[in-house]
Structure formats: C-alpha cells, structure tokens
Amino acid sequence: MSTSSDFITGIIKFGGQTNGRDKFFRLVQYSVKLIWWNLKNKNDLVEKLKKLESSMSMTRKLLRMGKSLDFIQAALKSLHIKEDVIRWTVTLSKISQSMFLLFDHIIYFHNLGIIKTDKAKWSKISAQFWFFSLALNLTRNFYDITNLVKLEMSKQQKRGNEMQYSNGETTATYNGRQTSNAGALSVVVQCVCDNKPVFLDLVKNVSDLVLPLNTLGKVNASTGVQGSLGIISSMIGVATVWNPTLKLVP
C-alpha cells in the first residue's frame, strides 16, 4: 500500500511541474515520430500520427513560453561557481539555451499565424544555439568524467599501496597483475556506479546532438533515428524530473 501511495504521489508531483509535463510530451512526440516512421506504408494512420506529433511539439513550445528568462536567471547564478571550466560551460550553455528558446518562440507564433516570418531561417538559428549549448554540456561532461576517472584511479592506487604495506611484496605483485588486466574496466564501472547523474547527462547530450545537426543539414538522420534518439534523451529527462538525485547539478 505504501509503495502504491508513493507512486501515486510521485505521479502527482511529476505532473504538477511544467518541466515534467514538457519531458513527458517530448517522450510522446518522439515515440510517435518513431512509430509513424515504422508505419510509413499505412498512409492514413501515418497522417494522424504526424498530426499528433505536431500537436505535441506545439504544446511543448507553449509550455516553454517564457522559460528563456529562467535560463538567463540560472546563467547569472552559475557565475558564482568557483571552478572555472564548470562556471563557463554551464553559464554559456544556459545563455545558449535561452537564445534557443527565444527563437523557438518566434517559430511558435509563426505556426499559430500570429506573425509571418522565414520559418526555415529561424529554425536554423535556433538549432545553432541548441547545438552550441549541447557542445558546452558535452565539454563539461568530459571534464567531469576525466576528473572522476583520475580520482578513482588515485583511490585504487592508494588501496593497492595499503595492501602492499600490510601484506608484503607477494600481494603487491598480484595486485599489480590484476590492475593491468582489469584495472581500467574496474575504474570505469566504479565511476559509472558512483556518478550516475554525470553519465546519464552524457548519454542525453550525445543523443540530442544529432537533432540540431540534422536541422542544420550537417547530418542526414532518418526520422527513425531522430525518433529513437529523442526517446532516449526524453526518457532520461523524465527520469531526472521524477528522481531529482539523477539530475546533474549545477
């Protein structure tokens, strides 16, 4: 009963957040994209699914209305981060996300028919800022991972030295042979287990990267690939809203 109650409470809390609804609609949007790509021979159903995908996209644009200001505020707060690489990658990424959403609003008003503009032009400008934001996020991810691997290697080396000191040269030789065979894998596995937010954020950013590159014409990803990658990044987004401990901070 307690588990069921916690799950229902989690659903209510998740649905009460604008970010949660946005992540859920994004998951539905890319799931529908993948489905209609697989059903491309069934024209009537495909057209209905395309309309549903378009509706999800428009709903998400509405939910994100004004969110560009939130990212500007977050960028100002991140200027107080002490570590230089983290400070500048996070700050510039937030600013880029703000600009991406700002131009995305223009596309939204064009789709509504409120204004007339060059949709393709603004879509590319918006995608450029999205790509720049993801590139900065990935820079931060690789910086974090490098530091985590160095720290874990240092810990394992320290443990090895302590074993050598305690048990003598025989154990130290065995430990060295074991490290040469499986040490690297052990470090990676331990880093992933101990730092899930970093690695989930990496997977999300890598998955999303293809989407703006496709809009910019730098890659030619099929609708199926876009849908699959969108589902992966959306599921991670849903997971981080549902369980905030999985979200990379700051």
Side-chain angles (χ1 to χ4, degrees):
M1 181 66 72
S2 176
T3 303
S4 176
S5 177
D6 290 343
F7 181 70
I8 293 172
T9 302
I11 291 176
I12 294 171
K13 182 179 178 181
F14 180 87
Q17 301 178 65
T18 301
N19 195 35
R21 293 194 295 273
D22 175 52
K23 301 301 183 187
F24 175 74
F25 287 140
R26 189 179 195 270
L27 177 60
V28 174
Q29 176 190 344
Y30 283 103
S31 297
V32 170
K33 182 186 280 286
L34 180 61
I35 292 169
W36 72 251
W37 179 77
N38 280 297
L39 298 174
K40 51 192 172 185
N41 293 327
K42 300 181 180 179
N43 295 329
D44 292 341
L45 182 57
V46 166
E47 287 304 314
K48 291 178 181 178
L49 291 173
K50 282 185 177 181
K51 288 179 180 178
L52 178 58
E53 182 206 344
S54 177
S55 176
M56 291 294 102
S57 177
M58 289 290 286
T59 301
R60 290 184 57 235
K61 290 181 190 300
L62 178 61
L63 288 172
R64 296 190 307 229
M65 192 63 62
K67 197 173 179 180
S68 54
L69 296 176
D70 292 339
F71 280 116
I72 290 295
Q73 186 178 33
L76 293 174
K77 289 181 179 179
S78 64
L79 286 171
H80 300 290
I81 298 173
K82 292 182 179 180
E83 200 164 354
D84 289 342
V85 174
I86 303 296
R87 179 172 68 251
W88 291 114
T89 52
V90 171
T91 300
L92 293 175
S93 174
K94 297 296 183 187
I95 293 172
S96 295
Q97 284 177 294
S98 176
M99 298 305 294
F100 154 62
L101 290 176
L102 181 62
F103 292 118
D104 198 50
H105 296 340
I106 295 175
I107 299 169
Y108 174 73
F109 287 121
H110 171 84
N111 290 341
L112 286 180
I114 295 175
I115 61 173
K116 294 295 181 183
T117 186
D118 187 342
K119 181 179 177 180
K121 170 188 170 183
W122 292 112
S123 293
K124 287 192 174 184
I125 293 175
S126 180
Q128 286 173 344
F129 281 106
W130 187 11
F131 169 76
F132 188 48
S133 174
L134 291 171
L136 287 164
N137 290 343
L138 285 168
T139 301
R140 184 260 175 93
N141 290 150
F142 287 121
Y143 175 76
D144 282 340
I145 290 169
T146 299
N147 288 337
L148 291 171
V149 169
K150 286 180 180 178
L151 180 61
E152 183 60 32
M153 289 178 68
S154 176
K155 287 180 180 178
Q156 292 200 10
Q157 185 177 12
K158 185 178 179 180
R159 286 196 293 269
N161 291 338
E162 288 173 351
M163 289 177 65
Q164 178 180 355
Y165 181 79
S166 301
N167 302 326
E169 190 174 347
T170 304
T171 303
T173 304
Y174 170 75
N175 183 69
R177 184 168 64 252
Q178 186 183 44
T179 301
S180 64
N181 292 334
L185 180 60
S186 172
V187 168
V188 171
V189 170
Q190 195 62 46
C191 285
V192 172
C193 292
D194 292 345
N195 304 278
K196 293 183 180 68
V198 175
F199 289 91
L200 284 174
D201 197 63
L202 173 65
V203 173
K204 181 174 76 67
N205 290 325
V206 170
S207 299
D208 275 340
L209 193 63
V210 172
L211 303 176
L213 286 176
N214 189 75
T215 301
L216 294 169
K218 301 300 182 182
V219 299
N220 186 21
S222 69
T223 301
V225 169
Q226 293 177 59
S228 299
L229 293 175
I231 288 172
I232 292 171
S233 61
S234 297
M235 288 180 68
I236 294 174
V238 168
T240 56
V241 175
W242 183 272
N243 182 3
T245 62
L246 296 176
K247 184 177 177 62
L248 183 61
V249 178

